[in-house]
Amino acid sequence: MNTLNVSILQGIVGKNNVKDDPADLMVYGSDSSVHAARPWAVVRPGTVEQVQKIMKYAHENKIPVITRGAGSGMCGQTVPINGGISLDMKRMNRILEINPSDVYCRVEPGVVDDDLNAALKPHGVFYPPTPASSRIATIGGEIGNNASGVRSVKYGATRDSVLGLKVVLPGGKLVTLGARTRVEATGYQLHKLVVGSEGTLGVVVEATLSFVPIPKYRCLGMANFDRLEDAGNAIADIMAGGVIPSMLELVDNVAIKAVNKTMDLGLPEVEAVLLYEADGMVKEAVDYEIDTMKALCKKNNGTGLTSSFDPNERAKIFMGRKKLFPALSKFSEVLSSTSLADDMAVPYSKMAEMARKIHEIAEKNDIIMTAYGHCGSGCMHTKILMEPGRKDQWESAKNAVSQIYEYVRSVNGTTSAEHGIGISKADAFKAEKADSLDLMSQVKKAFDPHGILNPGKLMDAPKNWVTATDLRYMVG
Amino acid sequence: MNTLNVSILQGIVGKNNVKDDPADLMVYGSDSSVHAARPWAVVRPGTVEQVQKIMKYAHENKIPVITRGAGSGMCGQTVPINGGISLDMKRMNRILEINPSDVYCRVEPGVVDDDLNAALKPHGVFYPPTPASSRIATIGGEIGNNASGVRSVKYGATRDSVLGLKVVLPGGKLVTLGARTRVEATGYQLHKLVVGSEGTLGVVVEATLSFVPIPKYRCLGMANFDRLEDAGNAIADIMAGGVIPSMLELVDNVAIKAVNKTMDLGLPEVEAVLLYEADGMVKEAVDYEIDTMKALCKKNNGTGLTSSFDPNERAKIFMGRKKLFPALSKFSEVLSSTSLADDMAVPYSKMAEMARKIHEIAEKNDIIMTAYGHCGSGCMHTKILMEPGRKDQWESAKNAVSQIYEYVRSVNGTTSAEHGIGISKADAFKAEKADSLDLMSQVKKAFDPHGILNPGKLMDAPKNWVTATDLRYMVG
């Protein structure tokens, strides 16, 4: 282990912006995953030049650097598995330019997603990737993970909205990647590669993002399905049906039960609920899309079909989905809701089978798992309900996760739709991408020859993730 | 120069699929650019395994491999500047799967764009990147160039439609990159990097592509502008105006004159014409978008505002734009239409200034240049009208090109919107991407350590492009 010279870092960013007391190191050692470790120091740069100096120092001294936004990652992406500097980018939070005529904005990485959207709103536009954590998630973190959310089925993921990036490489060099134009065919478009690289290729210090018009009309509807398979067929029919929903969400019966148990919403305890939304500038077009989706739900035995343009009604319809997380965590006195295999993507036609498989695998392993997700973009989420104090439950969960990802691969799905790989999903990632891991390692070396950026992640993650890092939720 | 053993190649693909007679080598030595060179042999693989064997042989013997589709590239991308194997992928032209429920298709690289769209049509969907050359362009070539076209303003470029790729690397290894799902956040998404890499990273042997519903309604309109600047303001207003056109084309007065001179269309000889199109499933929504665009044209002094849903009327409106190429080539007995600085992209608000600048620079250099393009995606095209037999005209053209790209960089534009870099634009590319060329070279090495794939292109292109290769249009 290379030692860190804290006074050098203090000289770069000022004493107040370097922290190494145990409490801070503990906080910065974990994120929203089950994993935890300790950085050697927390450093909070305020300028591009400071980032360059830090990266020069770290590169020369082979000190790990883990770039960090809000720490809202679900898979251990910012857990400093080999120690090093936790590089907190939240001070660099300026919106540098909003240019409505040229349809782009430029921001620093520490800008919070909701803050960007609040600034864009007066211009009648929004930045669409918006994950569920948008209240705290930073643009830099979203770029690191190629974040997406409920509306990505229509508006795409983060990568689709990133036109260009300024990135500091190990060694301190600043490079400008991409452009400020809608279309580009100018050589290797490395900015698109940095998106989703989970902090392993460079430190993003500025992003040029595109945005889209805020629709005038938005209509949300819901359908109930006695059988998961019917909901799955409705999804596939909708995606092949000539409409582009702005949201298409599946919620399974485990989640429905949890919501009903903890809140007075009286959701029907069917096997699956679909939420479908359309948006646009012209009411007739939104009507058409909603009518089409309703008809396709009905064709597949959907019942209780509702829809509304009214914001209050829409909020009611969405309430069950919105409160799913807290409901799951209150599901039982004994069980905790845990993120392990927290997301994946499968082809549309496999959505129902996937949900069914998750339930089967959970039962076989004596845990409870729920399946829900942004099925319009092929994304499925799960939560594991288990007793975190029992070691055997962790083993069960681990087995279930590995069986689930085996299934995902068997149907040509992919390990992560939007939460990334980090530590939790590294085994599944390696199994899925086995034939290109060497190539990824070579590409990593092209950016980071000393391997200082977020070491021990993605293709370099430790094999046995449950024991490789501390588990911050592990009790007793 | 490493020598080629033709009999080894014949053993891999069969005698009929290796060509090395002078006529074939001449044809395969040029594309749709001004450049020409000679490959050592043309090899036409029919299977993935054959491609793997060829790449193993070429890698071991350090023989250049230039992957080639239709040869419709405009910038010398497939000109074998250092000789080697011209790898013609047109035999691998099977559509492997069309999966409407999962919204993807899988194709071999030699499939022609129009053929894919003909096969998709019965499913009510289309593959949207479609460049103007779609009648001959192959999917593989489009991937190499990140091709786009008139509708990319709404539907994106090739990269936006590529979900996954199978790629053969130098050495012969086959890697599967990307996924079959709408959204993916599973590590480095190398397939997006291969798109637009102009054959320098690997040989694409299969592509998984997404598609979109064919709209029921399409409406095309036209507006005339006495001043380029008014047209430019209309473009910026439209792009900021809450509508997403399915086409937004600018045609300048040089092009209008050429069309009027050669055809009886009677276009008004104004400084600029804008073509605007909207499409969708609901007529009211298309009406709204067309009305909005018309109003914004009118606000900016646009006149003669027309629009029509009727296919025949639309064809008439589009005729001038469609016949622009042949019209330019018949502009005069003496002058030829030449592609040098054939495309670029600038922010929307700079479109008019850019067109004005192109005219100024052309005049200063004693040539004629036209400016037109897919301004909705920031893309501007030019053609140079010059006397190709005069050496001084080539020098003038070269100076003009370099001055134009200097301007493009000064307004934060980019060297290519859709035609790529090849040889023609390498100088401008290097000037624009100066700070990341080293990084690109390192990334290239990660894929192709011996540098056999399309050597002498992009960051490795020769400095003085007019003399570095033969000029196939150079007479006398």
Side-chain angles (χ1 to χ4, degrees):
Chain A
M1 161 169 146
N2 298 296
T3 46
L4 191 75
N5 189 328
V6 169
S7 66
I8 289 179
L9 295 169
Q10 287 174 337
I12 298 171
V13 294
K15 271 201 171 174
N16 287 340
N17 292 310
V18 180
K19 291 163 189 278
D20 61 356
D21 58 293
D24 280 318
L25 298 186
M26 198 182 82
V27 170
Y28 280 85
S30 62
D31 56 9
S32 299
S33 74
V34 298
H35 309 285
R38 293 286 179 282
W40 303 338
V42 177
V43 181
R44 296 159 29 94
T47 66
V48 174
E49 292 70 28
Q50 289 177 1
V51 175
Q52 290 183 274
K53 283 180 188 163
I54 295 163
M55 291 304 287
K56 187 169 186 293
Y57 168 72
H59 178 72
E60 283 168 1
N61 294 280
K62 299 191 180 167
I63 290 167
V65 175
I66 297 86
T67 318
R68 185 185 169 99
S72 51
M74 308 289 285
C75 310
Q77 285 95 324
T78 59
V79 172
I81 201 166
N82 294 331
I85 295 167
S86 181
L87 193 71
D88 177 352
M89 301 302 287
K90 286 199 295 295
R91 277 180 69 211
M92 293 180 65
N93 64 353
R94 290 178 304 161
I95 296 173
L96 301 169
E97 181 188 4
I98 295 178
N99 189 327
S101 301
D102 292 338
V103 196
Y104 72 75
C105 59
R106 290 185 304 116
V107 302
E108 289 185 328
V111 171
V112 170
D113 186 309
D114 278 3
D115 292 346
L116 174 59
N117 271 312
L120 291 175
K121 203 173 179 184
H123 303 281
V125 296
F126 74 110
Y127 175 67
T130 309
S133 54
S134 63
R135 205 174 47 84
I136 55 165
T138 64
I139 298 298
E142 293 179 14
I143 289 169
N145 286 299
N146 190 26
S148 56
V150 292
R151 298 213 166 83
S152 294
V153 52
K154 178 164 182 174
Y155 296 103
T158 298
R159 186 177 291 105
D160 302 305
S161 293
V162 172
L163 299 176
L165 294 176
K166 288 192 181 178
V167 175
V168 175
L169 300 176
K173 187 174 179 180
L174 177 70
V175 294
T176 302
L177 309 174
R180 293 188 189 175
T181 57
R182 171 92 176 80
V183 170
E184 194 194 15
T186 307
Y188 300 165
Q189 277 159 52
L190 299 177
H191 59 298
K192 300 275 183 186
L193 181 67
V194 170
V195 179
S197 64
E198 303 189 7
T200 62
L201 299 181
V203 179
V204 172
V205 291
E206 186 183 312
T208 303
L209 310 170
S210 63
F211 40 68
V212 291
I214 297 173
K216 273 188 207 150
Y217 300 94
R218 185 166 274 163
C219 183
L220 179 65
M222 191 166 114
N224 306 320
F225 294 86
D226 283 333
R227 291 175 61 248
L228 252 173
E229 287 70 19
D230 286 334
N233 291 336
I235 293 167
D237 282 354
I238 287 170
M239 295 314 296
V243 296
I244 299 174
S246 55
M247 189 199 294
L248 187 59
E249 294 284 309
L250 176 83
V251 182
D252 75 353
N253 50 353
V254 178
I256 293 165
K257 269 182 206 149
V259 171
N260 278 345
K261 202 172 163 189
T262 53
M263 297 171 67
D264 194 22
L265 289 180
L267 296 179
E269 298 214 349
V270 288
E271 279 201 347
V273 164
L274 272 192
L275 297 166
Y276 41 84
E277 188 195 71
D279 66 17
M281 290 295 175
V282 177
K283 190 173 173 300
E284 287 84 349
V286 178
D287 279 334
Y288 167 83
E289 299 205 287
I290 288 288
D291 291 347
T292 305
M293 291 194 276
K294 272 186 183 168
L296 293 171
C297 286
K298 204 170 171 188
K299 181 193 143 196
N300 289 291
N301 308 313
T303 57
L305 302 160
T306 55
S307 67
S308 179
F309 282 86
D310 178 73
N312 295 325
E313 285 299 313
R314 272 165 33 211
K316 264 190 220 165
I317 294 172
F318 199 63
M319 187 61 82
R321 172 69 180 85
K322 195 177 174 183
K323 295 292 182 190
L324 213 158
F325 266 40
L328 285 170
S329 62
K330 287 188 228 157
F331 189 77
S332 122
E333 298 272 309
V334 187
L335 302 177
S336 270
S337 168
T338 308
S339 293
L340 291 178
D342 70 315
D343 90 314
M344 57 215 58
V346 290
Y348 300 121
S349 62
K350 299 296 174 189
M351 277 282 159
E353 188 180 281
M354 167 92 220
R356 185 74 78 197
K357 206 83 190 174
I358 286 171
H359 295 162
E360 276 173 28
I361 290 171
E363 205 181 334
K364 216 167 56 187
N365 287 285
D366 190 30
I367 51 175
I368 297 174
M369 289 187 79
T370 176
Y372 60 98
H374 320 319
C375 46
S377 56
C379 170
M380 182 74 90
H381 288 307
T382 71
K383 289 282 167 201
I384 299 181
L385 299 175
M386 59 183 251
E387 295 179 49
R390 280 172 52 189
K391 200 162 193 278
D392 64 321
Q393 286 261 294
W394 281 100
E395 285 305 315
S396 298
K398 207 173 132 183
N399 289 336
V401 166
S402 119
Q403 289 158 19
I404 284 166
Y405 282 119
E406 211 169 298
Y407 166 78
V408 169
R409 290 192 294 277
S410 77
V411 295
N412 292 305
T414 188
T415 305
S416 175
E418 55 180 41
H419 288 181
I421 302 303
I423 304 166
S424 303
K425 292 187 217 133
D427 285 348
F429 167 69
K430 285 181 195 170
E432 181 193 339
K433 303 290 188 190
D435 66 7
S436 58
L437 292 176
D438 283 352
L439 187 58
M440 290 189 194
S441 292
Q442 291 303 317
V443 169
K444 157 88 173 165
K445 256 185 214 154
F447 283 78
D448 179 18
H450 294 178
I452 61 165
L453 278 168
N454 208 2
K457 301 295 166 62
L458 294 175
M459 54 274 171
D460 301 321
K463 194 166 166 46
N464 216 335
W465 52 262
V466 170
T467 48
T469 51
D470 297 334
L471 289 174
R472 59 186 194 120
Y473 295 118
M474 186 111 185
V475 201
Chain B
M1 161 170 146
N2 298 295
T3 47
L4 192 74
N5 189 329
V6 170
S7 67
I8 289 179
L9 295 169
Q10 287 174 337
I12 297 172
V13 295
K15 273 202 169 174
N16 287 339
N17 291 309
V18 180
K19 290 161 190 278
D20 59 357
D21 57 294
D24 281 318
L25 298 185
M26 197 183 85
V27 170
Y28 280 85
S30 62
D31 56 8
S32 300
S33 74
V34 298
H35 310 285
R38 293 288 178 281
W40 304 337
V42 177
V43 181
R44 297 159 26 95
T47 67
V48 174
E49 292 69 28
Q50 289 178 2
V51 175
Q52 291 185 271
K53 283 179 187 164
I54 295 164
M55 291 304 286
K56 185 169 187 292
Y57 168 72
H59 177 73
E60 283 168 0
N61 294 280
K62 299 192 180 166
I63 290 166
V65 175
I66 297 88
T67 318
R68 183 184 171 99
S72 51
M74 308 289 285
C75 311
Q77 285 95 327
T78 59
V79 171
I81 201 166
N82 295 330
I85 295 167
S86 181
L87 193 70
D88 177 353
M89 302 301 287
K90 285 198 297 294
R91 278 181 69 211
M92 293 180 65
N93 64 353
R94 288 178 305 161
I95 296 173
L96 302 169
E97 183 187 2
I98 294 178
N99 190 328
S101 302
D102 293 339
V103 196
Y104 72 75
C105 59
R106 290 186 304 116
V107 301
E108 290 185 326
V111 171
V112 169
D113 186 309
D114 278 3
D115 292 345
L116 174 60
N117 272 312
L120 291 174
K121 203 174 179 184
H123 302 281
V125 296
F126 74 110
Y127 175 67
T130 308
S133 53
S134 63
R135 205 172 48 83
I136 55 164
T138 64
I139 298 298
E142 292 180 14
I143 288 169
N145 286 300
N146 190 28
S148 54
V150 291
R151 298 214 165 83
S152 294
V153 52
K154 178 165 183 174
Y155 296 103
T158 298
R159 186 176 290 105
D160 301 305
S161 293
V162 173
L163 299 176
L165 294 176
K166 289 193 181 179
V167 175
V168 176
L169 301 176
K173 187 173 178 181
L174 176 70
V175 295
T176 302
L177 308 174
R180 293 188 189 174
T181 56
R182 172 91 175 80
V183 170
E184 194 194 14
T186 306
Y188 301 164
Q189 278 157 54
L190 299 178
H191 58 298
K192 301 276 184 187
L193 181 66
V194 171
V195 179
S197 64
E198 304 190 6
T200 63
L201 299 181
V203 179
V204 173
V205 291
E206 186 184 312
T208 303
L209 310 170
S210 63
F211 40 69
V212 292
I214 297 172
K216 274 189 207 148
Y217 300 93
R218 186 165 273 163
C219 184
L220 178 65
M222 190 166 116
N224 306 318
F225 294 87
D226 284 333
R227 290 175 60 248
L228 251 175
E229 287 69 20
D230 287 334
N233 291 336
I235 293 168
D237 282 354
I238 287 170
M239 295 314 297
V243 295
I244 299 173
S246 54
M247 190 199 293
L248 187 59
E249 295 283 309
L250 176 82
V251 182
D252 75 352
N253 49 354
V254 178
I256 294 167
K257 269 182 205 148
V259 171
N260 279 344
K261 205 172 160 187
T262 53
M263 298 171 66
D264 194 22
L265 289 179
L267 296 177
E269 298 212 351
V270 288
E271 278 201 347
V273 165
L274 271 193
L275 297 166
Y276 41 85
E277 187 197 73
D279 67 16
M281 290 295 176
V282 178
K283 190 173 172 300
E284 288 83 350
V286 178
D287 279 335
Y288 166 82
E289 299 204 289
I290 288 288
D291 291 348
T292 305
M293 292 194 276
K294 272 185 183 169
L296 293 170
C297 285
K298 204 171 170 185
K299 183 192 141 198
N300 288 291
N301 308 314
T303 57
L305 302 159
T306 56
S307 66
S308 178
F309 282 86
D310 178 72
N312 295 324
E313 285 297 313
R314 272 164 34 210
K316 264 190 220 163
I317 294 172
F318 199 62
M319 187 61 81
R321 172 70 179 85
K322 196 177 170 182
K323 295 292 182 188
L324 213 158
F325 267 40
L328 285 171
S329 61
K330 288 188 228 158
F331 190 77
S332 119
E333 298 273 309
V334 187
L335 302 177
S336 270
S337 167
T338 308
S339 292
L340 291 178
D342 70 316
D343 90 314
M344 56 215 56
V346 291
Y348 300 120
S349 61
K350 299 295 174 189
M351 277 282 158
E353 189 180 281
M354 167 91 221
R356 186 73 80 197
K357 207 84 192 173
I358 286 171
H359 296 161
E360 276 173 28
I361 289 172
E363 204 182 335
K364 217 167 55 187
N365 288 283
D366 189 29
I367 51 174
I368 297 174
M369 288 186 80
T370 176
Y372 60 97
H374 321 319
C375 47
S377 56
C379 170
M380 183 75 91
H381 288 306
T382 71
K383 288 282 168 201
I384 299 182
L385 299 176
M386 59 184 251
E387 295 179 49
R390 279 173 52 190
K391 202 163 191 276
D392 64 319
Q393 285 261 293
W394 281 101
E395 284 305 315
S396 298
K398 208 174 131 180
N399 289 336
V401 167
S402 119
Q403 288 157 22
I404 284 166
Y405 281 120
E406 210 170 297
Y407 167 79
V408 169
R409 291 192 293 277
S410 77
V411 295
N412 292 305
T414 187
T415 305
S416 174
E418 55 179 43
H419 288 180
I421 302 303
I423 303 166
S424 304
K425 294 187 213 132
D427 285 347
F429 167 69
K430 285 182 195 169
E432 180 193 339
K433 304 289 188 190
D435 65 6
S436 58
L437 293 176
D438 283 351
L439 187 57
M440 290 188 196
S441 291
Q442 291 303 317
V443 169
K444 157 88 173 165
K445 258 185 212 153
F447 282 77
D448 180 18
H450 294 178
I452 61 165
L453 279 168
N454 208 2
K457 300 296 166 59
L458 294 174
M459 54 275 170
D460 301 321
K463 195 167 165 48
N464 216 334
W465 53 264
V466 171
T467 48
T469 51
D470 297 333
L471 290 175
R472 57 185 195 121
Y473 295 120
M474 187 112 187
V475 200

